[in-house]
Amino acid sequence: MFIDEAKICLVSGRGGDGLICFRREKYRPKGGPDGGDGGRGGDVVLKATSRINTLLSFAHKIHWKAENGGHGGSNHKRGHAGNDLVVNVPVGTVVKELRTGELLADLARPGQQVVIAQGGEGGRGNSHFKSSTRQAPRIREKGAPGEEHWVKLELKLLADVGITGFPNAGKSTLLSKISSKRPKIAPYPFTTLEPNLGVVSVDEYTGFVAVDIPGLIEGAHTGRGLGDRFLKHIERTRLLLHLVDISGSEGRDPLEDYQVINSELKAFSPLLAEKPQVVVGNKIDLMDEEALNETCKRFRAIGVEFHPISAVTGQGVRELIYRCYEELKKLPSSEEFVESEPERRRRRVYRPGAPGTDFIVEQEEERFLVRGQAVTRLSRLALEEPDAVEYLQEQLERLGVFAELRRKGAHAGDRVALGTQEFEYQP
Ligand SMILES: Nc1nc2c(ncn2[C@@H]2O[C@H](COP(=O)(O)OP(=O)(O)OP(=O)(O)O)[C@@H](O)[C@H]2O)c(=O)[nH]1
Ligand SMILES: [Mg+2]
C-alpha cells in the first residue's frame, strides 16, 4: 500500500547519571573525589534515503527511541554515549510538529538529515564539585531526560511532470503509454486512488519522471471527490501536464473542464496556479477533423494552444514527450532532482528554550516555578545527600533566585518547583 502520511513519536536517549566516588589508594586513606560523568543520550535523527519510497514502515511502528547514556564510573570514568537512532525516511519527506503543524524539516535531498530529538546531557560526577571549602563533595547530577517529540511525516513525491485533469480524462492511460508503469485504467471516475510515478524515457540517455494523481472535480479544494489531498504531490513538479478530454465523451464541455481544473489548482495554492502547463487535448481518436478544429478554435480564443493526442492509439504521444522535455530544459532544474553528494552535515531543529540566559520565577497556584538556562543544571542535582541540598541552596542564593522569590512574595514554607525537584522555601 502507498502510505504518504504518518504520525510518530521520537524519543532521544536520557543522559547517564554522574557518580559519587572517592579514590582508594594504598597508604592514602582519604583519596579525592573521582566519580565520573554520565554519557550523553543518543539523538534521534531523520535521514532521507532514495532506497525507500513510502512511509509504510511507520504505519505500525510509532515509537522510536535512541539509546540512553551510560552512568559515570569510578576513577573519572565517563559513561558511554548512547547510540544515535538514525531513522530512514524517503526523499521528499516533510517533518512537522504534530501539535502545532510547525515545519521542522524538509528532507528533499538524498542523504539530508536532521536531529529532531537531541540526547540528554550526562550528569556530572562528584569530581566536578570539589572546592576549597568542600574537599570531599557528596554531590552529583542525574542525566538530563531525553526529549520526546510527536511529529507528522508527509511524503511529497518528487517528479518532474505532474499529470492532472478530471477523472476519466485518460491520465493513467497516458502514463502507461509513456512509461513502464501499469496503473489501473477503467471507464469510471476515481479509478486511480493513489499517485503513480513513472519514468519516461526521451531517448537512450535522457528521461523524466511523471506522476499521475487521482482526478480532480469542481470543489475538490473543499473536499469533493477525493479532494485535494493529492495535490501536494504535484506541488513540487516542475511542469504540469493538464490533460483534457476534448472528445466530450463524458458529456462535459472541454473548455469548462479546463477552467474548472485551473481554478481548483488556484484554490489549493498559488504555487500550483503559477506552475507552467502543457495543455493536452486527449481522445482525438473519438473525434472527426471538424470537431477537433472547432475545439482548437475555442481554446485558441482564450489564448490556449493545446497539444492533441490519443493516449489509446498513441497518436501525438511521442511529440508530447519531446515537447515536455523541451519545456523542462527551459525550466530551472530544481535541486531536488539532483542526486547530490550525500549531505553529512546534520542540521538540528532549534526550539526556543526558556527566555534569557538566566532564570524566571512564576507563581502558579500554590507554588513558585523557577525556570531558565541558569537553573536547568541545578534541577538535575541528586538531592539524596545533605551536601547536594546545601550546594543547591548556595547556588540559588548566588544566582539571586531567593531574592527573586522574596520579591515575588514567597513566604517560608511555600513550595518551589525546579525542574522535577520540589522543595520548601526557607528564607
Ligand atoms: N477512446 C479513448 N479512450 C481513452 C483515451 N484515453 C483514455 N481513454 C479511456 O478513458 C477511460 C478512463 O481512462 P483512465 O486512464 O483510467 O482515466 P484517468 O484520468 O486516469 O481517470 P481517474 O483515475 O479516474 O482519474 C478508460 O476507459 C480509457 O480506456 C483515448 O485517448 N481515447
Ligand atoms: Mg487514473
Side-chain angles (χ1 to χ4, degrees):
M1 199 179 23
F2 181 85
I3 302 269
D4 65 350
E5 275 185 13
K7 292 168 187 166
I8 56 170
C9 179
L10 306 175
V11 184
S12 55
R14 65 168 300 133
D17 296 344
L19 180 76
I20 294 177
C21 186
F22 296 93
R23 201 163 39 234
R24 282 162 201 268
E25 276 172 53
K26 262 185 188 169
Y27 317 118
R28 282 191 63 188
K30 274 200 174 166
D34 74 348
D37 302 345
R40 268 184 58 88
D43 296 338
V44 182
V45 179
L46 294 181
K47 181 174 180 186
T49 166
S50 30
R51 273 175 297 133
I52 50 177
N53 53 21
T54 97
L55 295 172
L56 184 64
S57 47
F58 302 99
H60 303 294
K61 187 164 161 59
I62 291 168
H63 294 273
W64 300 77
K65 190 179 180 314
E67 201 189 2
N68 291 338
H71 298 320
S74 56
N75 198 14
H76 302 285
K77 200 166 152 235
R78 176 181 279 276
H80 73 88
N83 282 323
D84 292 345
L85 176 67
V86 178
V87 180
N88 285 320
V89 296
V91 173
T93 299
V94 173
V95 190
K96 293 181 177 165
E97 185 90 53
L98 184 60
R99 201 170 44 81
T100 61
E102 185 203 345
L103 178 74
L104 300 180
D106 186 349
L107 301 172
R109 287 188 302 279
Q112 206 180 336
Q113 46 185 327
V114 63
V115 177
I116 299 289
Q118 195 169 38
E121 249 183 310
R124 289 179 295 174
N126 69 336
S127 57
H128 286 276
F129 295 91
K130 191 176 165 185
S131 66
S132 52
T133 52
R134 209 177 263 120
Q135 293 291 325
R138 299 193 61 80
I139 303 174
R140 66 182 182 112
E141 287 168 346
K142 291 186 177 159
E147 298 174 347
E148 177 181 301
H149 292 290
W150 279 90
V151 297
K152 182 172 179 193
L153 305 180
E154 284 176 10
L155 179 58
K156 290 193 184 189
L157 295 174
L158 297 181
D160 303 291
V161 177
I163 308 175
T164 187
F166 263 85
N168 277 350
K171 299 181 297 299
S172 303
T173 311
L174 178 62
L175 186 73
S176 69
K177 198 81 185 174
I178 60 180
S179 73
S180 58
K181 195 82 185 182
R182 294 288 166 262
K184 187 171 167 196
I185 293 166
Y188 52 79
F190 304 118
T191 312
T192 303
L193 296 173
E194 49 197 45
N196 293 299
L197 278 179
V199 178
V200 183
S201 44
V202 178
D203 56 38
E204 214 178 324
Y205 305 104
T206 45
F208 56 85
V209 177
V211 60
D212 157 38
I213 61 163
L216 290 177
I217 56 173
E218 184 162 14
H221 72 281
T222 63
R224 281 192 65 206
L226 288 177
D228 54 15
R229 185 165 115 67
F230 296 101
L231 279 181
K232 63 172 187 271
H233 295 305
I234 56 171
E235 255 190 334
R236 280 208 176 148
T237 59
R238 295 194 282 151
L239 180 68
L240 291 185
L241 195 161
H242 186 156
L243 195 63
V244 189
D245 173 355
I246 54 166
S247 73
S249 70
E250 299 279 311
R252 285 189 316 262
D253 179 54
L255 200 64
E256 243 173 62
D257 279 9
Y258 169 76
Q259 283 157 338
V260 165
I261 296 293
N262 277 340
S263 46
E264 288 305 324
L265 296 177
K266 197 167 164 191
F268 183 74
S269 83
L271 203 72
L272 276 183
E274 285 156 21
K275 216 168 269 291
Q277 288 191 0
V278 171
V279 183
V280 180
N282 189 27
K283 308 198 185 178
I284 56 169
D285 57 298
L286 298 178
M287 309 170 80
D288 56 26
E289 189 98 18
E290 201 185 331
L292 181 58
N293 282 335
E294 191 54 37
T295 312
C296 277
K297 244 189 254 164
R298 291 185 59 213
F299 272 79
R300 216 169 273 155
I302 58 160
V304 178
E305 201 70 55
F306 65 73
H307 184 106
I309 63 160
S310 166
V312 164
T313 67
Q315 198 184 339
V317 168
R318 203 66 224 161
E319 293 81 349
L320 176 61
I321 292 176
Y322 291 131
R323 167 86 190 281
C324 288
Y325 184 63
E326 289 306 317
E327 291 295 327
L328 286 171
K329 274 206 295 201
K330 282 187 239 159
L331 297 168
S333 80
S334 68
E335 54 180 13
E336 286 136 31
F337 309 111
V338 182
E339 285 268 326
S340 61
E341 265 293 289
E343 189 179 302
R344 307 217 183 276
R345 195 167 58 87
R346 268 188 195 173
R347 220 159 48 82
R348 151 122 176 92
V349 172
Y350 283 98
R351 295 180 176 78
T357 47
D358 33 28
F359 67 89
I360 51 169
V361 173
E362 293 168 320
Q363 191 163 7
E364 186 206 73
E365 286 167 18
E366 309 280 88
R367 52 181 206 163
F368 291 86
L369 235 67
V370 185
R371 295 191 297 128
Q373 280 165 14
V375 293
T376 350
R377 276 226 105 116
L378 294 176
S379 70
R380 302 213 308 268
L381 283 169
L383 294 180
E384 75 261 323
E385 298 281 345
D387 259 10
V389 176
E390 207 180 282
Y391 176 80
L392 175 63
Q393 300 227 327
E394 283 166 21
Q395 295 300 313
L396 292 176
E397 186 66 57
R398 189 182 62 84
L399 288 166
V401 174
F402 285 143
E404 182 65 9
L405 279 165
R406 267 195 298 281
R407 217 177 57 75
K408 286 264 154 83
H411 297 293
D414 283 348
R415 306 297 303 167
V416 177
L418 178 68
T420 51
Q421 324 255 36
E422 214 179 89
F423 57 88
E424 231 169 60
Y425 174 58
Q426 296 295 354

